[in-house]
Amino acid sequence: MLKFIAFFRRFRVFLVFMILQILALSSFFSVMSFPRTKFFNSSAAITGTLLSWERNIIKYIYLDEANERLQAQNIELEKRIPDNFISVDAKTAIINDTIQKLSFERTPATVINSSHSFTNNYFTINAGSLKGVERKMGVVSSHGIVGIVYDVSRHFAIVKSVLTSDINISAYIDGTDAYGIIKYDGDDPRRVKLTGISNDIVIKKGSPVNARGRGGYFPQGEPIGVVENLEPIEGKPMWDITVRLNQDMRKLRYVYIIKNINQLELEELERGIEQLQ
């Protein structure tokens, strides 16, 4: 015991120094651990944010490519739906696909320029005569009808938008035999008018409005919008019907050009009717 006391007395300065040093280092590391942890946490958060930005940029760069692939896949799927086919001969039994023809073909395209704030609006697509696009072909989106091809060059086409006062698309209200003409009055790019329907016909709000197929521009039943409001026109036995478009024309980007395989036959037949009149 005496030796221990003597040892402590001899090295007391050194021992006190070591104890103080240990206490100081312990205090330092305990104080600095929080900033260190915050640093590593902040670094992880910044890295995660940068990686998210990178993924979003890559997704944006390849968005057009992905949508083009999706459009092509949609067309292939539509070809497999029996309702989209017509037989060459109604009396002939269907043995394989070679005895059927698609009544309508769809060519995908992208809108590269458009307007929606005028009485007569147009948009430009990146598909022209080299892809088989011709004047008077119908144009639709995945939501419904958007216009009719007005003019064509080799690589591009100008489409007369459904937001045009003289486009005259024949349409009917689902669940009724009532049909009329789609008209745009220039007030609201989300809405058009359906004219020519007598007010003695019962029309329900929310009823779907579809293409009648007149003129062969669109398949019969192609969606246009829904009946949003209707009021009797003063002094006329007609409804004033407001149709809310399925497709917001302000956000239009990806479309399909409709080719009616039997369009020439239809036009020749209807031309004969005009001569009789």
Side-chain angles (χ1 to χ4, degrees):
M1 184 66 181
L2 295 174
K3 290 183 179 180
F4 177 77
I5 295 173
F7 175 81
F8 182 78
R9 286 179 177 176
R10 184 176 180 180
F11 295 99
R12 62 182 181 277
V13 176
F14 176 76
L15 291 175
V16 171
F17 171 78
M18 288 299 298
I19 292 171
L20 293 175
Q21 186 71 16
I22 291 172
L23 291 174
L25 290 175
S26 298
S27 299
F28 174 80
F29 284 116
S30 64
V31 171
M32 292 302 293
S33 62
F34 176 74
R36 185 173 63 254
T37 301
K38 291 294 291 181
F39 172 78
F40 286 122
N41 288 343
S42 300
S43 298
I46 293 171
T47 303
T49 301
L50 292 175
L51 289 174
S52 297
W53 288 353
E54 180 186 15
R55 285 194 297 271
N56 290 335
I57 291 172
I58 292 173
K59 284 166 63 178
Y60 180 80
I61 291 173
Y62 291 102
L63 183 60
D64 279 348
E65 181 181 342
N67 275 283
E68 288 174 3
R69 287 200 304 269
L70 182 60
Q71 285 179 310
Q73 290 170 1
N74 286 339
I75 291 174
E76 291 302 316
L77 288 173
E78 285 182 347
K79 290 181 179 179
R80 301 175 187 176
I81 302 175
D83 290 344
N84 285 335
F85 289 86
I86 58 173
S87 297
V88 175
D89 185 350
K91 297 180 180 179
T92 302
I94 299 175
I95 299 174
N96 54 50
D97 290 343
T98 61
I99 67 168
Q100 291 185 333
K101 292 182 179 179
L102 264 177
S103 54
F104 290 90
E105 291 181 350
R106 297 191 175 203
T107 301
T110 302
V111 176
I112 59 175
N113 189 26
S114 65
S115 67
H116 55 77
S117 58
F118 305 106
T119 302
N120 296 308
N121 294 281
Y122 297 81
F123 59 88
T124 306
I125 56 176
N126 63 349
S129 59
L130 291 181
K131 289 188 176 181
V133 179
E134 300 175 1
R135 293 185 69 250
K136 296 186 177 181
M137 284 185 174
V139 183
V140 302
S141 72
S142 58
H143 299 292
I145 288 173
V146 294
I148 296 175
V149 176
Y150 177 76
D151 201 4
V152 182
S153 66
R154 287 170 56 85
H155 300 96
F156 305 98
I158 295 175
V159 181
K160 183 182 289 189
S161 167
V162 69
L163 303 180
T164 303
S165 60
D166 62 349
I167 197 168
N168 294 337
I169 296 175
S170 183
Y172 71 92
I173 299 175
D174 197 17
T176 72
D177 293 327
Y179 62 88
I181 300 296
I182 291 295
K183 291 283 187 179
Y184 180 56
D185 56 14
D187 289 339
D188 186 345
R190 286 305 315 269
R191 295 166 177 83
V192 294
K193 296 290 186 179
L194 180 58
T195 64
I197 297 181
S198 176
N199 61 13
D200 63 343
I201 299 174
V202 178
I203 306 295
K204 295 181 179 180
K205 291 183 180 180
S207 298
V209 177
N210 305 319
R212 189 181 173 207
R214 181 173 178 267
Y217 303 126
F218 305 100
Q220 186 173 13
E222 190 74 29
I224 298 175
V226 296
V227 175
E228 185 176 63
N229 190 39
L230 70 160
E231 298 176 355
I233 300 176
E234 186 176 354
K236 294 183 180 180
M238 310 295 290
W239 285 118
D240 178 10
I241 301 176
T242 301
V243 176
R244 184 179 180 88
L245 296 170
N246 288 343
Q247 173 64 57
D248 187 341
M249 298 298 292
R250 300 167 300 179
K251 301 177 182 178
L252 183 63
R253 183 160 176 77
Y254 301 102
V255 298
Y256 301 93
I257 303 101
I258 303 293
K259 178 181 180 180
N260 185 348
I261 295 176
N262 304 114
Q263 183 68 36
L264 182 59
E265 178 184 349
L266 177 63
E267 289 180 353
E268 289 178 353
L269 182 63
E270 292 187 342
R271 193 179 297 119
I273 296 175
E274 292 174 359
Q275 292 173 356
L276 291 176
Q277 295 174 342

